[in-house]
Structure formats: C-alpha cells, structure tokens
Amino acid sequence: MTHEAPVGALSRRKSKYAPRSVPVSETGEKLTTSAMIASLDSEGRDTISAPFGHALCDMAKTRDDIVGLTADLSKYTDLHVFAKEYPDRFYQMGMAEQVMISAAAGLAREGFTPFATTYAVFASRRAYDFIFMAIAEENLPVKIVCALPGLTTGYGPSHQATEDLAIFRGMPNLTIVDPCDATDIDQATRAIADHNGPVYMRLLRGQVPDVLSEYGYKFELGKAKMIHGGNDVLFISTGFMTMRTIDAAKRLKADGIDAAVLHCPTIKPLDVHTIKREAAKTGRLVVTAENHTIVGGLGEAIGAELMRSGVHVPFKSIALPDEMLDAGALPTLHAQYGLTADAIAAQVKSWM
C-alpha cells in the first residue's frame, strides 16, 4: 500500500455557502463567526489535548491492526497525532469520503481495524450509502469517528451535523456513540476498537474538557451511567450536553430542585434496562438533553422505549429545533438554541 499526499486541488476548502449570515448582538455589534469548538464546560476546568489521537497511539503500541484514514482532515479530527507517530499506518485519502469509506472496508476485510475520520456532515450526508453497503451490511469492524457533531461549529448548515444521529440510527449493525468529554473519548476509543462491528462515534477535538473523571466514571459500550442522583428531576443526556446537565443540576439545586444526571454515551444500542429502571422511579420529571435536532435522536429513542415498555412518566426533551440553524459565534448560538446550563435550568423550572 502507498501513502500519497492529496492532490492540491482536492484539499479541504470552506464551503462557499458558509457562513450564511453574520449574526449581531443585542447592541448591534457583529459577532465573530468561528468554526472552533467553544469552551463547552465552565471556566477553570482542566482540559486534555487530542484525547482521541493519543488513545489511538497508545493502542497502536500493542496492536498492529490499527490504522487511520482521513478525508483531508487529520488536523481537525486529531488524527494528526497518530499520523505523526505511525506514518506507515496512516492513509490520507483526500477530499473523497466515499473513497475513504471504501478503502476502510477493504482494510477491514484484510484483518485491520480502520479508524476513518472526517466531519460528521460528510460521513452522514455524503458517504451514507457506502457505509451501509460496504461496511454495515458486511458487519465490518470499521470505526467512523467524526468531528463537529451537532452544534459544535459556527459555520452554518453546511458544517453543522444536527441530524447525524437520526440518519444513522436506522442503519442495521451500526453502533452509535456520543462521548461527553476527554475521559469519555479516551475510554470509548479503546472500547470501540475491541468491538467486533462497525461504529459511528461523535468526536470533540483539540483541548477537550475533563469533567467525568471527578465522578469516578468508567465508559462501557452499551451502558448508561448515573453521574449523581436526585429526587425531583432525571436528566438523561448524551455528548457534551452531559456537561451542561451536570451544571444545570447545580443551578437547580440552589433553587431547591434535586436533579439526577444519567449519562447515555451509547445511542445505539440503548441501555434500555437502566433507562427504564431510573425513569420508573416515581415522582421525577424525565428530561432528555442532546446536541441534535429534536427529530430522530436520543429523546425520541428514549420516549419510544418508555412507551413500548409501559413506563408512563412526565417527559420532556431539550434539543435543537427542526430547522436550518444560524451561523455565528458558538456561545451565542448555544444560548440562542437553549443548550446552555442556564437555559436548561430555566426550562426545567418552567416545567416544574
């Protein structure tokens, strides 16, 4: 196999359609549009650099089956860490997601465990049929790891993968993971490498907050984990929204509302047993929270399972609206669409 740099004309470019607009603040000041992940956690929290890339390098020390592929986005998926350490096991496929997926399938058939990286919009929208036919149908152990999930970029609909979970949940054989923080990403990367089948994992890149380690958290594929208990509200959250529900629970506590947080990093298969058990505890409002459109994500998956199981509880969802989102600065967008800890706490108080 050869490793060739991409042709210059195929290097990744910003879409001519992004950003669609430049939002303004309440004072009329233009806001800076940014594609970088904002500080997703409260100030002062420790961060870990490129947890996915470093976890992959660590595993590669003892596993020569692990290889990395990218569609011209290694720097922006933290795969550049692996590429620098293991250049002979790194494949730059250029701006061609379908080719990358097909190559990953071929490598998996030859006994490798490929980690294919790109942006979530490009895997879900451009490469869906290739993932379905070349990987999922054959149940091959390809790990598709994608940055910029949901609303983690300010570049507008061309880069915001707000519907990726809905797109992938219907694909047979595909496991779906949405880690919360650096600890979760590190542990999940190792777990999906051992999983004998295809995986789609959402990724936070760069300097990623470390939140769950202080709770003694351990990732288990297919398992939801209780971060802390509470008698009035049960948050069931996934991805970085678990950071937000933890902070929202603290705000609610100050107002005399006791909120539990159940982190659900595996979207498919859901940990139905744990979700049903916790939801069935009497007297609690169940609130799902996700960095995804209200259509087809965690909230609808959990709501359907509870209804099928005959678990009848007060149920609400916090998610992105079913619409094309604005471009702009991430903190502004998160506040606008209700993803901040303050917005979550205020919404829950209105429901209570």
Side-chain angles (χ1 to χ4, degrees):
M1 300 179 220
T2 61
H3 306 254
E4 297 180 356
V7 177
L10 294 180
S11 61
R12 182 70 62 190
R13 297 180 293 271
K14 295 178 183 177
S15 167
K16 65 180 180 180
Y17 300 109
R20 296 187 303 155
S21 60
V22 179
V24 296
S25 69
E26 293 179 0
T27 63
E29 179 185 3
K30 288 185 177 180
L31 296 170
T32 302
T33 301
S34 173
M36 300 302 290
I37 291 178
S39 176
L40 297 175
D41 192 27
S42 53
E43 291 185 8
R45 185 83 70 175
D46 290 339
T47 62
I48 296 174
S49 177
F52 165 67
H54 288 294
L56 213 57
C57 285
D58 189 48
M59 288 189 296
K61 293 175 184 176
T62 56
R63 291 187 53 171
D64 58 10
D65 61 305
I66 289 178
V67 296
L69 300 89
T70 187
D72 198 28
L73 286 169
S74 61
K75 181 180 177 181
Y76 304 102
T77 59
D78 291 342
L79 192 65
H80 68 287
V81 177
F82 178 83
K84 182 178 180 180
E85 191 74 18
Y86 295 97
D88 292 337
R89 292 155 68 175
F90 168 73
Y91 299 87
Q92 170 58 275
M93 306 306 297
M95 196 171 65
E97 289 77 17
Q98 297 96 329
V99 173
M100 178 185 70
I101 291 301
S102 299
L107 286 165
R109 281 184 168 276
E110 295 301 316
F112 293 95
T113 303
F115 280 75
T117 71
T118 183
Y119 286 166
V121 285
F122 303 144
S124 59
R125 298 178 195 168
R126 294 182 182 176
Y128 180 89
D129 191 51
F130 287 76
I131 295 170
F132 190 105
M133 297 303 298
I135 294 173
E137 187 183 27
E138 302 297 326
N139 201 32
L140 296 174
V142 177
K143 321 306 172 182
I144 303 159
V145 181
C146 294
L148 302 190
L151 187 53
T152 52
T153 175
Y155 272 141
S158 65
H159 284 62
Q160 293 162 346
T162 57
E163 78 287 21
D164 58 328
L165 300 181
I167 289 172
F168 280 129
R169 276 183 58 224
M171 187 179 292
N173 292 334
L174 186 67
T175 294
I176 303 173
V177 178
D178 190 8
C180 166
D181 70 343
T183 292
D184 219 7
I185 290 169
D186 176 83
Q187 296 180 13
T189 300
R190 300 168 193 274
I192 66 174
D194 291 335
H195 176 65
N196 187 27
V199 177
Y200 171 70
M201 187 172 89
R202 288 174 138 202
L203 178 67
L204 301 179
R205 69 188 190 192
Q207 295 292 334
V208 182
D210 182 21
V211 178
L212 298 180
S213 58
E214 67 180 273
Y215 297 94
Y217 171 85
K218 299 294 183 185
F219 176 90
E220 290 184 74
L221 195 61
K223 298 294 184 181
K225 294 297 181 76
M226 185 63 72
I227 305 303
H228 62 71
N231 298 317
D232 301 320
V233 177
L234 172 64
F235 284 118
I236 308 177
S237 52
T238 190
F240 79 75
M241 287 299 283
T242 294
M243 299 185 204
R244 299 286 169 81
T245 57
I246 289 171
D247 283 346
K250 294 175 183 176
R251 288 160 171 74
L252 291 170
K253 188 74 170 179
D255 290 328
I257 299 173
D258 194 20
V261 176
L262 179 66
H263 177 46
C264 188
T266 306
I267 306 297
K268 183 183 179 183
L270 276 176
D271 185 355
V272 177
H273 174 76
T274 299
I275 290 169
K276 285 168 51 181
R277 183 193 68 214
E278 293 299 326
K281 292 181 179 178
T282 58
R284 292 195 296 189
L285 169 67
V286 175
V287 179
T288 63
E290 60 189 307
N291 169 36
H292 185 269
T293 172
I294 194 72
V295 176
L298 179 72
E300 286 195 352
I302 290 175
E305 288 292 349
L306 294 179
M307 289 186 68
R308 281 194 286 264
S309 302
V311 179
H312 303 294
V313 293
F315 183 87
K316 298 289 186 179
S317 290
I318 292 171
L320 294 167
D322 179 25
E323 61 188 53
M324 300 294 180
L325 303 188
D326 288 336
L330 269 182
T332 302
L333 293 175
H334 283 191
Q336 176 179 333
Y337 293 114
L339 299 190
T340 65
D342 285 338
I344 294 167
Q347 182 67 79
V348 169
K349 283 190 286 186
S350 74
W351 288 330
M352 296 292 288

